[in-house]
Structures are given as C-alpha cells and as structure tokens.
C-alpha cells in the first residue's frame, strides 16, 4: 500500500506543483488538511491569524480611515472656511469694507447668509455626489479587477483630491475645494463598497461579522481624529485648515506601500477568475493551516452553480425573483443608516449644539468631539458582539434606541425654544445616546450585509446598488437638512423619527439572521422561495 505524500504543515503555502500533482491533491481532499477522516476543523479555520489580521489592518487603516476622515474633516473648521468663502466672494465682487465692525448691513459686493449657506451646503454635499459616482462603478471595478486591486488603484483619487483641497486656499478658489471634495467623494464611494467586500470575503464564517464591522469601527476613529485635529488651536484655523484636508494623503500613501503584500480575495480568485490553485494557496496563507477543505468545497459548489447560469447584470438583481428580496433588504438597510438622521448629526453637530442647544461655539466643538468618542466606543462594542448576538438583533436595538432619542431630542429643542435652558443637557444627552444607538448596529451592518445575501455572481452588483443608495440618501440629507431646519426648526428630527419607525418594522419582519451561516446557506433560502 502506497504511503500518502507529505502534507504541508500549518502556515506553509501550497505550491502550484504540489496542488497540480494528483496524489498530493487527493491526499488533501481525503484527509481534509489537519482534520481527521476528511472533516473540517472549524476551530482551525476560524482563528484570527496574523496574515488575516494584517490584511484587515491595512485595508481599514488605509481605506476605511480615508472614508471616515473625509466624512468628519469638514465639520470643525466649517465657520473658518465659510469666512474664507466670504473673503473670496468680496474680492471677486469689489466689496469695499468700511472698517467699522458695528456696521452689519449688507453692502454691495458682499455675500448674503442664504447664498453662503447654499454654497456651504454644496461643498458638504459634493462629497456625497462623488460617493454616488464612485458607488455606481464599484461593481464594475471589483468584478473586473477584484476588491484588492480596486482599493489599491483608487488611492490615486485620494492623493489628487487631497492635493486639490490643500491648494484651494493658495489658489483663492472655493471652486477648487468643491472639486476636491467631489474627487475625494468618488474615492470614498469606491472604498465604502470595496473595503467591506474584501473584509467579508477573506474572513472565515465565524469572524465575518467582526471583520466586516471593523470597517465602520475605523471610520468612527477617523471621524473622531479629524474632529480633534480640527480644533482651532490645532489645525482648524484660518492658517492650517488646508493641512487638515491634505492629511488624507497619508493613509493613501501607506496603503500603496503595504496593500500589495496582502492576498487577493480567495472567493474572487476561484469564483470570478477560476483560479482554484491560487485560491487554495491564499486560504492556507490566511488560515495558517492546510485545513481549508471545507471552505474550498463550499466555494466550489457555489462555483458550479455560477457556471450553470449567465452573468448577472445590474438589471438582473431587480428582475430575477431569487435576487428580489436580497436587493430590497440591501436598499432598505442602507436607507435605515442614512435616513436615521445620523449624518445630520455628524455634518451639522456643532451647529445643532450652538443654534439648537444654545451652548457657546467653543463648548459646541467639544460636545461634538464627545459624540465622536461615544461613536468609537460603541462601534468597538458592536465589533465584539456582532458574531455573538447577531446582525438582526443589534440592528433592531440600534434603530429602537435612535427612535427614542429623536423624540427626546425634539422635545428638548422645543423646551429650549421656550426659554427652558435646563433642557440643554437633555439635548446633548439625546445626541450622545442617538450616536451610541447608531454605533450599536446601523452604523456597520448595512455596509457588509449585502456581501452575505448574494452569491458571487450578483455580489458586486448588489454591493453597487447598496452603496449608491447609501450615498444618494447621504446627499439628500446633507443638502436638505440645513434648509429644512430653517423652515421647521426644532421639529426637524421628527422626520427621521418617522423613517426609523418604518425601518424597525421592516427589519423585524423581513431581515434574516446571517450569523454563523455560509453564503451558500443564506442564498439557498431565496432560491427555494423563488422556485416555490
């Protein structure tokens, strides 16, 4: 009886020759790697190994960090930049300032408040316009080049956008700053789809939630850091705000150096590129064991189904019955994140505290930073709990908490309007707990759940629809919130309260629990329903 050839040990990469050799390949299949009798050892394949951790760190600190930084960086120095807008406008229109600071009437050549507010709203919202553009193309780039190469190449957009934002002050052009925000938005739109996709595809089933939600965790860290460095005594002042915007270049350059050392997604290699040997090598490297038989078999079964049907187009995810419910869930989950009111809090938190809660500008900035701290802490808690309590449970808890907070926030703002200054603290606490509730689930889960609901053929298109939906809602909130606030004032958050109630009902009735379930198992449910 012939003895089995030597099986590579834990952490060894299986070479092309060893896999292509039939005897070695059959030995791997029959013995299941390190497991016995061909059974997969879940503990071995589910560990957070160093190669897996390193890839997650590089992607989150390189890509997710950029997304978060550029979301939060606009907030703290907002008044300084608006004053710079005023100066540019005055120079262009021949404004003659009398020198008397007591003169408050609008002179010829000056910019009125409504126009300045509109110009600032465009600046803020242009980031979301870019996000929609990037989001629309996410499926194309990740399907054609893979999520890793997509993330690597779009760092060029981050560098270009950062350079434009930095140079705008020295070119005396707010148009350049707005264009820079558009470019940075395109980068962030691509990041928001490609980064969670990469993280969920390299993760074992039992760590998929943790790695997927780590994207949002790093986003919150970046938002907080941008708020701290945006303080007037650091970089959020008339002299240094361009440097604040240019710092987005730093993680982009770091990722250009480190990401090439990380592996490509094994699912992309096998299911899209049909490179089974490379996919198995990557799995062995990521899991630090040759016991990857179970994962390979699950991907091969999915691959067999994909080869038996046509390529999925953008229209197909809406048209085909077995994709219909997953795409509806993806869209509503993304809307539940943006139409909850969270970006109204992030984009205009300082303004809400100053004009709504009536606290001083200095205190408002620090209150906003406090909100960022709460966001980071609870995002970390969510990462730790998501694979224990489940996606659906955390999402429902978060939405319910936000629903309560929007009502309390509205009541506190009404009381403040009636001169009851003690309600200031209720307003601040409502905002804090609103953000805590958001970070519990709605902040992270919508970004990666599409990757769990679709098979490999439809996943890029499903992610594209989700990302575009998210950014479109982001744009509408960023553009409409200040205008609506001027009209309905303290009742603005009741609009978000109504949306939240709809999302709670939908999540309770329609969203499945995907914790510890393979993609094959999840998608099979919708295939069976479409047949039945």
């Amino acid at each position: 009886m012939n003895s089995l050839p030597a099986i590579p040990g834990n952490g060894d990469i299986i070479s092309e020759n060893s896999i292509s050799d039939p005897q070695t390949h059959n030995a791997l299949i029959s013995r299941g790697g390190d497991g016995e009798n061909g059974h997969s050892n879940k503990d071995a394949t589910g560990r957070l190994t160093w190669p897996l951790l390193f890839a997650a760190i590089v992607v989150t600190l390189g890509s997710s960090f950029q997304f978060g930084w550029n979301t939060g960086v606009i907030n703290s120095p907002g008044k300084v930049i608006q004053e710079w807008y005023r100066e540019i406008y005055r120079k262009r229109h021949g404004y003659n300032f009398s020198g008397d600071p007591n003169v408050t009437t609008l002179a010829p050549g000056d910019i009125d408040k409504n126009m300045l507010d509109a110009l600032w709203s465009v600046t803020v919202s242009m980031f979301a316009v870019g996000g929609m553009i990037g989001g629309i193309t996410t499926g194309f780039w990740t399907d054609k080049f893979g999520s890793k190469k997509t993330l690597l190449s779009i760092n060029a957009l981050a560098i270009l956008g950062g350079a434009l934002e930095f140079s705008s002050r020295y070119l005396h052009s707010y148009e350049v700053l707005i264009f820079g925000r558009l470019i940075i938005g395109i980068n962030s739109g691509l990041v928001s789809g490609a980064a969670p996709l990469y993280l969920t595809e390299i993760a074992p089933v039992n760590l998929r939630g943790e790695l997927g939600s780590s994207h949002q965790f790093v986003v919150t860290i970046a938002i907080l850091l941008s708020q701290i460095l945006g303080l007037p005594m650091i970089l959020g002042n008339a002299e240094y705000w361009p440097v604040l915007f240019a710092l987005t270049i730093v993680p982009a350059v770091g990722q250009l150096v480190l990401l090439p050392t990380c592996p490509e997604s094994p699912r992309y290699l096998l299911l899209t590129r049909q490179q089974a040997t490379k996919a198995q090598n990557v799995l062995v490297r990521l899991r630090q064991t040759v016991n990857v038989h179970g994962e390979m078999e699950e991907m091969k079964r999915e691959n067999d189904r994909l080869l038996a049907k046509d390529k999925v187009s953008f229209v197909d995810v809406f048209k085909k019955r077995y994709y219909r419910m997953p795409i509806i869930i993806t869209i509503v989950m993304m809307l539940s994140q943006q139409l909850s009111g969270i970006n109204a809090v992030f984009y205009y938190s300082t303004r809400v505290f100053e004009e709504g809660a009536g606290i001083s500008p200095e205190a408002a900035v620090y209150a906003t930073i406090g909100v960022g701290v709460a966001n980071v802490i609870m995002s970390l808690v969510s990462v730790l709990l998501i694979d224990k309590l489940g996606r659906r449970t955390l999402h429902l808890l978060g939405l319910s908490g936000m629903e309560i907070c929007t009502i309390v926030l509205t009541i506190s703002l009404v009381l403040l309007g009636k001169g009851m200054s003690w309600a200031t603290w209720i307003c601040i606490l409502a905002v804090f707990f609103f953000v805590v509730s958001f970070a519990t689930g709605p902040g992270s889960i919508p970004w990666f759940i599409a990757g769990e609901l679709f098979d490999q053929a439809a996943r890029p298109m499903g992610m594209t629809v989700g990302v575009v939906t998210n950014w479109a809602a982001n744009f509408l909130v960023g553009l409409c919130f200040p205008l609506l606030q001027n009209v309905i004032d303290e009742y603005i958050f009741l609009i978000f309260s109504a949306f939240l109630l709809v999302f709670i009902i939908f999540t309770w009735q329609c969203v499945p629990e995907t914790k510890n379930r393979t993609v094959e198992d999840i998608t099979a449910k919708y295939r069976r329903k479409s047949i039945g």
Side-chain angles (χ1 to χ4, degrees):
M1 180 176 177
N2 294 334
S3 60
L4 289 169
I7 302 298
N10 287 1
D12 292 340
I13 303 301
I14 302 173
S15 68
E16 296 284 334
N17 292 333
S18 68
I19 291 295
S20 60
D21 175 67
Q23 196 174 13
T24 302
H25 182 266
N26 291 335
L28 273 171
I29 297 301
S30 64
R31 288 173 57 177
D34 291 344
E36 296 179 0
N37 303 321
H39 295 295
S40 176
N41 185 334
K42 289 186 178 181
D43 291 335
T45 59
R47 294 183 297 114
L48 184 61
T49 62
W50 167 244
L52 181 61
L53 179 61
F54 180 76
I57 290 172
V58 170
V59 168
T60 53
L61 292 184
S63 293
S64 307
F65 189 92
Q66 291 180 43
F67 177 27
W69 179 270
N70 290 300
T71 298
V73 75
I74 198 76
N75 192 38
S76 293
K79 287 191 176 296
V80 172
I81 299 173
Q82 288 179 68
E83 188 56 38
W84 175 68
Y85 278 16
R86 187 186 299 276
E87 291 175 8
I88 297 298
Y89 188 91
R90 286 172 170 177
K91 287 178 181 178
R92 292 179 180 179
H93 295 82
Y95 172 77
N96 292 315
F97 182 54
S98 65
D100 183 356
N102 296 317
V103 176
T104 58
T105 56
L106 190 68
D110 201 359
I111 185 171
D112 63 42
K113 185 180 183 301
N114 290 336
M115 185 174 181
L116 184 60
D117 283 347
L119 192 59
W120 184 243
S121 291
V122 170
T123 305
V124 172
S125 300
M126 196 55 64
F127 178 63
V129 173
M132 284 188 283
I133 296 171
I136 289 171
T137 61
T138 299
F140 170 79
W141 294 112
T142 55
D143 189 46
K144 188 172 182 63
F145 301 106
S147 49
K148 176 191 168 183
K149 289 180 181 177
T150 299
L151 290 170
L152 188 65
S153 60
I154 60 179
N155 285 300
L157 293 173
I159 294 171
L160 174 61
L164 287 169
E165 290 175 324
F166 176 78
S167 62
S168 62
R169 180 172 178 268
Y170 307 100
L171 294 174
H172 307 289
S173 172
Y174 43 68
E175 292 88 353
V176 172
L177 177 61
I178 293 171
F179 184 61
R181 292 294 292 172
L182 175 67
I183 299 298
I184 283 291
I186 296 173
N187 166 267
S188 295
L190 287 161
V191 162
S192 61
L197 180 63
Y198 179 80
L199 292 168
T200 54
E201 287 190 343
I202 65 172
V205 171
N206 63 310
L207 296 177
R208 199 171 58 212
E210 290 184 11
L211 261 69
S213 58
S214 66
H215 164 73
Q216 180 65 20
F217 174 56
V218 174
V219 167
T220 62
I221 292 175
I223 291 173
L224 175 61
L225 190 58
S226 71
Q227 291 170 339
I228 293 172
L229 293 182
L231 290 172
M233 71 283 295
I234 305 178
L235 296 176
N237 50 59
E239 184 176 359
Y240 292 116
W241 68 260
V243 177
L244 189 67
F245 282 82
L247 285 176
T248 191
I249 295 173
V250 175
V253 172
Q255 191 175 67
L256 283 173
V257 175
L258 295 175
L259 190 56
T261 66
C262 298
E264 182 55 88
S265 158
R267 301 191 76 86
Y268 171 76
L269 289 173
L270 176 58
L271 303 179
T272 302
R273 306 299 295 175
Q274 298 298 305
Q275 297 174 343
T277 300
K278 288 185 178 180
Q280 185 157 343
N281 282 343
V282 166
L283 275 178
V284 170
R285 176 183 171 187
L286 287 169
R287 306 295 180 255
Q288 290 292 283
T289 176
V290 293
N291 182 20
V292 296
H293 174 65
E295 285 188 85
M296 284 297 295
E297 285 300 303
E298 185 260 325
M299 288 194 293
K300 286 176 181 176
R301 286 194 297 270
E302 184 176 350
N303 188 52
D304 290 341
R305 289 195 303 272
L306 297 180
L307 292 175
K309 60 184 181 182
D310 296 331
K311 191 175 179 66
V312 177
S313 67
F314 187 87
V315 175
D316 288 335
V317 294
F318 294 95
K319 187 177 179 181
K320 295 186 176 180
R321 287 184 63 189
Y322 46 85
Y323 291 140
R324 198 168 296 157
M325 197 60 203
I327 203 64
I328 291 173
I329 293 171
T330 298
I331 290 171
V332 176
M333 290 288 279
M334 286 297 192
L335 289 176
S336 74
Q337 184 186 87
Q338 293 299 329
L339 297 185
S340 66
I342 190 63
N343 272 344
V345 172
F346 281 145
Y347 284 149
Y348 299 100
S349 55
T350 304
R351 178 175 173 179
V352 167
F353 286 136
E354 284 183 30
E355 299 179 11
I359 62 180
S360 68
E362 295 78 12
V365 171
Y366 288 107
T368 299
I369 290 175
V371 170
V373 172
N375 195 20
V376 170
I377 293 172
M378 285 309 301
S379 293
L380 176 59
V381 172
S382 177
V383 170
L384 298 175
L385 292 179
I386 197 163
D387 282 318
K388 296 179 177 65
L389 298 182
R391 286 74 154 144
R392 183 174 177 270
T393 301
L394 286 180
H395 199 68
L396 278 171
L397 285 173
L399 292 175
S400 300
M402 294 166 81
E403 172 71 14
I404 294 170
C405 289
T406 52
I407 295 171
V408 173
L409 182 59
T410 301
I411 294 171
S412 64
L413 290 173
V414 171
L415 293 175
L416 282 168
K418 296 182 181 296
M420 300 180 185
S421 59
W422 53 267
T424 297
W425 292 105
I426 299 177
C427 180
I428 293 173
L429 287 174
V431 170
F432 268 77
F433 283 107
F434 181 89
V435 171
V436 165
S437 299
F438 173 79
T440 301
S444 60
I445 293 169
W447 286 118
F448 68 86
I449 198 166
E452 299 183 315
L453 296 176
F454 293 95
D455 56 32
Q456 186 68 21
R459 190 173 296 122
M461 287 302 134
M463 291 292 291
T464 295
V465 172
V467 170
V468 171
T469 301
N470 191 289
W471 282 99
N474 185 323
F475 169 75
L476 290 174
V477 171
L479 187 64
C480 297
F481 179 80
L483 304 176
L484 285 172
Q485 190 183 34
N486 289 336
V487 175
I488 60 177
D489 202 13
E490 62 264 21
Y491 297 99
I492 181 69
F493 285 98
L494 287 181
I495 296 175
F496 299 121
S497 180
F499 279 125
L500 283 164
L501 183 60
V502 173
F503 298 139
I504 290 169
I505 295 170
F506 179 86
T507 303
W508 179 264
Q509 293 291 330
C510 303
V511 176
E513 182 52 71
T514 59
K515 178 186 70 172
N516 291 333
R517 294 173 63 188
T518 64
V519 173
E520 180 186 25
D521 176 42
I522 296 166
T523 56
K525 169 188 173 183
Y526 295 109
R527 287 199 304 273
R528 288 193 299 270
K529 285 187 175 181
S530 67
I531 294 172

